[in-house]
């Protein structure tokens, strides 16, 4: 505000103009990590989706191998890319470049990800495959194109106040020591920008600066308006899949082939949620100087909104604390890089491999043995929220088998404690007393339907409505705390209609035979076997005899390893008596390395303790 007040009635003029030539250089061809990052930013693909599409393009022979940490291109690829650039854009756009990978941990077993035929523009009828291919094509072509030449202009604007100002804040010529700066740029030669512009993770990045009008030093400027806007500091942004891949690569965690599986695994196991979250409304002030008057205005903005960001769950925080406490060397960020250095030393003959295994396994085995005795109740953190305002019972939040929950009362008391699961997005360390009490409003009765009550509650598999001893799941957008009776009737009737359409035909004389309507069309259920209905056959007209005949003719359900596995297991079953009879002739099992591990199992603690160890291993 003080600077705005000084500018009331002030004279503005160009104090200095500085014009500098600048250039922008194209990015290197794609590695696995940069492809995942750019596909996430530009195409909004997950890292798993990017690798699946790249795998298909590679198998079709359209791109080179997609798991690589090298940015180099073969001489053949550079030659073909150069021919395409000259034919499509002209000789001035060609600038041959040979890239070298800067990362010390890079193995460079393959060249960068590139098209196999630069003349091919359309390679797939699948829209997403084609989009990913175009991204790879443009990046590779741009890497061999000329720099973009720019001209950047910086104008410094002096302010000469009309009202008296403290002399300490003035220059010798009577202008304010505070100055205004305007910047702009002009593209003189577009170069690689004709094909490709690399994206960034910086949400506030302003790459495209505006153009300035013709200016001269000393030129007087008229003030149209000046705005002073209130701004707030921001926390570090949460990771997206793309920015997490970038961080993994910077820290040397994993290899190109492990980025996508790692990110997918932590999501599948419930350690991380990828989701959008709504922001909160916030007020901010803006002061506009116009016609020598300052007008304050209060605006609203949404802050904290997140789109496709990664959020840790309560389980993740507890597992992380457990691993950091008991296995600090394994979860250390530099663990992967350190192991790779030792493997390189072994390959060069500078370290015996037995020493490396001994150094790691001796300490690791001891820590695993220690964690065998850790009780599950001591692993999961609990937090006391306070006392129930009506009953005075203690309220606490804990982590259970099916996730975090709030507990009212103690297990040792005469009355049984009450439990309520936390809502999606609620965290154990942040939930308040009011939010905890809100959870115990379930189950609640929302009305009646057909003379029977409808009760809303939350179970192991999510929120549901109970009506006449039957359960009906709520939709993804339905809130169990606010859903009304009209919506409950709608859900029940929709489920009944779906179930009615599912059952095509039943046979009272043989309840195990049914004709159902499934996701991929009608089929027959014969006990544990699902039988396809031949094309042209009307499911409604099928008789019991026809269903039994189709079931008998249908092949047996394959096991985990197919028919061969079934035959092998059958032969194994027949051979069991013979094997028992010939048991003394079998080679001693103790000689096989895997059996030594099995022999250690009887030393495990009591029945309840291996469960904790198994949970830790899964983490």
């Amino acid at each position: 505000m003080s600077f705005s007040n000084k500018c009331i009635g002030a004279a503005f003029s160009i104090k200095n103009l500085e014009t500098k030539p600048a250039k922008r250089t194209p990015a290197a061809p794609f590695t696995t990590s940069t492809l995942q990052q750019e596909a996430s930013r530009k195409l909004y693909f997950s890292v798993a989706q990017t690798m699946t599409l790249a795998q298909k393009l590679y198998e079709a022979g359209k791109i080179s191998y997609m798991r690589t940490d090298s940015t180099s291109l073969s001489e053949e690829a550079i030659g073909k890319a150069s021919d395409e650039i000259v034919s499509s854009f002209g000789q001035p756009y060609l600038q041959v470049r040979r890239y070298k990978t800067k990362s010390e941990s890079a193995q460079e077993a393959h060249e960068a990800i590139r098209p196999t035929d630069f003349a091919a523009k359309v390679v797939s009828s699948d829209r997403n495959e084609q989009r990913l291919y175009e991204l790879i094509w443009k990046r590779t072509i741009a890497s061999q194109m000329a720099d973009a030449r720019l001209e950047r202009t910086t104008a410094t604007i002096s302010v000469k106040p009309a009202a008296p100002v403290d002399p300490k804040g003035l220059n010798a010529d009577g202008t304010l020591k505070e100055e205004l700066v305007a910047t702009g740029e002009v593209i003189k030669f577009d170069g690689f920008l004709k094909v490709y512009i690399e994206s960034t993770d910086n949400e506030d990045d302003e790459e495209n600066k505006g153009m300035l009008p013709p200016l001269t030093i000393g030129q007087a400027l008229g003030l149209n308006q000046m705005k002073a806007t209130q701004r707030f500091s921001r926390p570090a942004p949460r990771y997206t899949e793309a920015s997490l891949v970038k961080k993994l690569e910077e820290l040397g965690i994993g290899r190109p082939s492990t980025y996508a599986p790692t990110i997918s695994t932590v999501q599948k196991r419930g350690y991380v949620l990828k989701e959008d979250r709504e922001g909160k409304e916030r007020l901010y002030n803006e002061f506009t100087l116009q016609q020598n008057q300052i007008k304050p205005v209060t605006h609203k903005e949404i802050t904290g909104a997140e789109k496709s960001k990664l959020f840790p769950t309560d389980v993740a925080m507890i597992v992380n604390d457990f691993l950091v406490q008991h296995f600090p060397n394994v979860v250390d960020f530099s663990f992967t890089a350190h192991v790779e250095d030792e493997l390189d030393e072994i390959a060069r003959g500078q370290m015996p491999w037995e020493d490396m295994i001994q150094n790691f396994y001796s300490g690791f085995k001891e820590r695993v043995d220690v964690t065998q005795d850790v009780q599950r109740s001591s692993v999961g953190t609990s937090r006391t929220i306070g006392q129930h305002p009506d009953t005075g019972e203690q309220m606490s939040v804990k982590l259970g088998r099916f996730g975090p929950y709030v507990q009212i009362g103690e297990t040792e008391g005469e009355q049984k404690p009450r439990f309520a699961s936390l809502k999606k997005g609620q965290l154990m360390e942040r939930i308040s007393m009011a939010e905890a009490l809100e959870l115990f409003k379930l189950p609640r009765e929302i009305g009646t339907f057909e003379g029977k009550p409808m009760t809303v509650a939350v179970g192991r598999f999510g929120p549901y409505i109970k009506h006449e001893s039957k359960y009906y799941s709520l939709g993804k957008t339905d809130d169990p705390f606010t859903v009304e009776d009209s919506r409950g009737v709608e859900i029940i009737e929709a489920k009944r209609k779906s179930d009615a359409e599912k059952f095509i035909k039943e046979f009272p004389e043989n309840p195990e035979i049914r004709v159902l309507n499934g996701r991929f069309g009608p089929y027959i259920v014969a006990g544990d076997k699902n039988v396809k209905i031949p094309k042209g056959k009307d499911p409604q007209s099928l008789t019991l005899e026809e269903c039994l005949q189709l079931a008998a003719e249908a092949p047996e359900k394959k096991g985990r390893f197919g028919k061969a596995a079934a035959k092998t297991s059958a032969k194994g079953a027949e051979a069991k008596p013979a094997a028992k009879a010939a048991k003394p002739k079998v080679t001693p099992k103790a000689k096989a390395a895997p059996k030594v591990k099995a022999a250690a199992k009887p030393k495990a603690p009591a029945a309840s303790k291996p469960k904790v160890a198994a949970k830790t291993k899964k983490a």
Side-chain angles (χ1 to χ4, degrees), residues 103 105 239 243-255 259 331-338 340:
S103 174
S105 62
Y239 284 116
S243 59
L244 183 56
V245 167
K246 183 178 181 181
K247 193 66 176 180
L248 290 173
E249 187 178 37
E250 288 175 358
L251 295 174
I253 300 174
R255 305 298 314 159
Y259 298 142
V331 295
D332 186 85
F333 290 150
S334 60
F335 175 76
T336 304
H338 177 68
E340 288 190 350

Side-chain angles (χ1 to χ4, degrees), residues 346-359:
I346 293 171
R348 292 192 297 264
Q350 298 174 350
M351 173 187 278
W353 67 267
E354 297 91 346
D355 291 353
M356 175 199 173
I357 298 298
Q358 179 63 30
N359 292 339

Side-chain angles (χ1 to χ4, degrees), residues 261-273 311-317 319 323 401 403 614-619:
T262 299
I263 294 174
S264 298
T265 298
V266 294
Q267 293 181 61
K268 289 176 181 176
R269 293 189 178 179
Y271 298 139
V272 171
L273 297 176
F311 297 87
T313 63
D314 286 314
V315 176
M317 296 178 184
V319 170
L323 293 175
R401 182 180 178 186
K615 182 70 177 179
T616 305
K617 185 178 284 187
K618 185 178 179 182

Side-chain angles (χ1 to χ4, degrees), residues 114-129:
R114 63 168 180 87
T116 53
D117 181 7
F118 289 92
K121 304 292 174 56
V122 179
V123 299
S124 175
S125 59
D126 182 86
R127 178 173 177 269
N128 286 338
E129 285 183 28

Side-chain angles (χ1 to χ4, degrees), residues 413-603:
E414 295 180 1
Q415 293 184 341
K416 290 184 178 180
R418 290 173 286 163
F419 308 96
S421 298
L422 267 63
K423 292 182 185 178
K424 184 179 180 181
Q426 288 183 327
L427 296 176
M428 292 174 62
E429 70 267 19
R430 294 182 185 175
I431 188 169
S432 64
M433 173 67 76
E435 292 171 332
L437 291 172
E438 181 77 14
L439 299 175
F440 288 90
K441 291 184 178 180
L442 297 180
R444 69 185 185 94
E445 191 172 309
I446 60 173
T448 59
F449 178 52
E450 298 175 344
K452 302 290 184 180
M454 294 182 292
T455 304
V456 178
V458 176
R460 177 181 174 186
F461 302 106
Y464 63 87
I465 295 175
K466 183 180 180 182
H467 179 256
E468 287 192 289
S469 301
K470 293 185 179 180
Y471 301 89
Y472 305 87
S473 297
L474 268 63
K476 290 183 178 180
T477 58
D478 293 318
D479 185 349
F481 294 91
T482 59
V483 67
E484 298 179 350
D485 57 345
S486 58
R487 175 59 179 157
V489 172
E490 184 182 336
I491 291 171
I492 293 171
E493 290 181 337
K495 182 66 168 64
R496 286 179 178 178
K497 183 181 177 182
S498 174
D499 290 344
E501 292 174 350
K502 181 179 179 181
F503 290 92
I504 298 175
K505 198 168 187 180
E506 293 182 282
F507 303 96
E509 60 270 34
N510 192 339
E512 288 194 350
I513 306 298
R514 292 173 294 164
V515 183
L516 304 180
N517 195 8
R519 181 181 176 186
F520 303 106
Y523 66 99
I524 299 169
V525 175
D528 295 332
K529 184 188 290 186
N530 294 339
V531 182
K532 289 182 180 180
I533 298 175
K535 288 184 179 180
K537 196 75 175 176
D538 181 17
Q540 291 281 4
S541 62
L542 285 170
T543 64
L544 178 60
E545 290 72 21
E546 288 176 320
C547 292
L548 291 171
Q549 183 179 351
L550 290 171
E553 293 173 354
E556 291 295 327
K557 187 177 180 181
K558 295 182 180 180
R560 183 180 176 188
F561 300 100
K563 291 182 180 179
K567 291 179 181 178
T568 304
S569 60
K571 287 180 182 178
E574 293 173 3
K576 274 183 181 178
K580 284 183 180 178
K583 193 170 184 180
K585 298 181 182 179
V586 177
T587 305
K589 292 183 179 179
K591 292 184 180 181
K595 299 299 181 181
V596 175
K597 292 183 179 179
K601 286 185 178 178
K603 296 181 181 180

